[in-house]
Each structure stands twice: as structure tokens, then as C-alpha cells.
Amino acid sequence: MKERFIQTPNLPKGGVSLVVCDGRINNEIEDNIKKLGIRIIKTNRQSSLYEAVSYHPDIQFHHLGDNKIVIAPNIDDKFYYALEQEGFEIIIGKKYINSKYPEDVPYNVARIGNFAVLNIKYTDEILLDELIKRNVKLIDVKQGYAKCSICIVSENAIITSDRGIHKKAILNSIHSLLINPGHIELFELNYGFIGGCSGFISKDVLSFYGRIESHPDFYAISQFLNKFEKKYQNLSKGNLIDYGTLIPLKEYSIM
């Protein structure tokens, strides 16, 4: 089957054919993704970041849509060339990513349809310019880990545990489900975020690293997904794990 680049970041219009995942995903997750006919580009360890997020895709790059990607200038060559070989046009950002906050969040921007939720002050200038060029509406929030904090459900719907993001979303007519923080593993840290453990594997199926049923707000989450005609699929057993988002980049085309 033919492939095409996903036009709207995070929101495929068909079955996903290529994703970027944290290089540490376990065998169960990897096998389940591949069984769906999806190829995986794995990130490599970024030594300048602290260990828990050192492989996180949503820290290392931002998909602008179509074949355009903005990437941190200090990302390793192997990952850069893996994207380039898939036909992506790589735009090198200005800000280097480092372990001290907010130096780890310049590319951690959540695209929700024609909106981008971000902390403008901390966002990479080149990425910011690219968003403005595309007439994307910027929603400025205090939270630097914007993408980590947001599970994108549709072009106008999100799930988050961040109250500031929740309030700003509603002010911009984005439907938002506020859930309890925690209940998501993130290596040696106390807990991870709902955005970091999720990502679409087809137009209507949102996948989770771990069992979404393990979250205490599962019922509200499942009802919210139903409202927007989305299904869910667990990629592994056990608790939810924040692997820095499953990022879909290509989808199958029937044309």
C-alpha cells in the first residue's frame, strides 16, 4: 500500500504506517505496534537530558505536519538520518536541549488541529516562526511540558491533568477533560503525564503505553473518547508508562 505524510500533526486520517517511539519501549509494545503493520523509528539516548526523558520523542523534535519536522540541533545523526531517509525535510532548531528546565522543553509543543499549546517564552524561535507562518493559533500556558501534559483526542478535544492548560483550552473553545495527576509511570520520577503515554495508530484509534483501565479516571476517559467517536487500544499490559508520546508521522493511502 502507498503511504503519505500525515498532514495534521498527531491526527492521522487513515491507518498509521510510521511512528516515532522512545528507544526504550519494551518488546510487548514493539511487537504489538508491528503487528498492526506500523513501522517504528526509535529515538536514541540524548545524553544532555536527564535519564527519565533522555529518549522522549516529544522532547527531541516537533512535527509541523506533512513532511516538515523541526529538530533540536544536538540530536544524534542516526535519528536525523532515519527521518531524512523517510523523506522528511528537517529544519534545525536554534535551541539546544539540556537537562535543566526549561532547557528541555523548546520543542515540547502540543499541536491540536490549528492550535498550538506551548509556553511561548521557552519555545524555540525557529519552531515559533514556523507555526506563525502556518497561521497556527498560539495558546500560551505556564506549563513548559505542554505536549507531555496533553493527550490529543481530536482537532478540538484534549485530555489533561494540568489545570492551567484545561482552563486555557476551554477559553479557546477546545473541549477538555481534566483528570487526576499521577497514576502513570516515568522511570525514576514520581509520575508521568497522559500525553506522554498516548498517540493515534489510526484515524479513530488512540493507543496507550500500558492499560488505560489502570487509571482511576478510566470511566470518564472512555466516555470522553466515545463522545468524539474514538476507540482506544492498549499496547501492553500493566500500568501506564510515559514514553514521551507515540508520534504518528505517515499513514496508508488508498489512492
Side-chain angles (χ1 to χ4, degrees), residues 20-30 40-46 49-60 185-189 196 209 241-245:
V20 176
C21 295
D22 183 307
R24 300 167 293 187
I25 56 169
N26 61 44
N27 291 335
E28 182 184 10
I29 291 171
E30 184 169 353
I40 303 170
I41 294 177
K42 289 185 180 181
T43 57
N44 299 306
R45 183 175 179 272
Q46 182 58 38
L49 297 169
Y50 59 90
E51 194 59 33
V53 302
S54 59
Y55 286 78
H56 277 195
D58 58 20
I59 295 287
Q60 298 188 16
E185 296 178 5
L186 180 53
F187 297 94
E188 73 271 14
L189 299 185
Y209 292 132
I241 306 172
D242 184 341
Y243 277 120
T245 309

Side-chain angles (χ1 to χ4, degrees), residues 34-85:
K34 288 179 176 177
K35 283 175 186 174
L36 296 168
I38 301 172
R39 294 176 293 113
I40 303 170
I41 294 177
K42 289 185 180 181
T43 57
N44 299 306
R45 183 175 179 272
Q46 182 58 38
S47 60
S48 63
L49 297 169
Y50 59 90
E51 194 59 33
V53 302
S54 59
Y55 286 78
H56 277 195
D58 58 20
I59 295 287
Q60 298 188 16
F61 78 96
H62 180 84
H63 181 214
L64 289 164
D66 196 31
N67 69 330
K68 305 289 195 301
I69 284 175
V70 180
I71 196 167
N74 53 329
I75 293 304
D76 67 284
D77 290 346
K78 187 178 178 182
F79 181 62
Y80 177 100
Y81 291 128
L83 291 170
E84 197 173 56
Q85 283 170 7

Side-chain angles (χ1 to χ4, degrees), residues 167-211:
K167 288 177 183 176
K168 283 286 186 82
I170 290 170
L171 284 173
N172 285 275
S173 301
I174 297 170
H175 299 274
S176 179
L177 174 67
L178 184 66
I179 61 170
N180 287 301
H183 313 285
I184 298 164
E185 296 178 5
L186 180 53
F187 297 94
E188 73 271 14
L189 299 185
N190 291 336
Y191 61 85
F193 299 97
I194 191 70
C197 67
S198 58
F200 276 98
I201 50 174
S202 74
K203 179 184 178 181
D204 302 317
V205 182
L206 182 65
S207 70
F208 290 94
Y209 292 132
R211 292 180 67 253

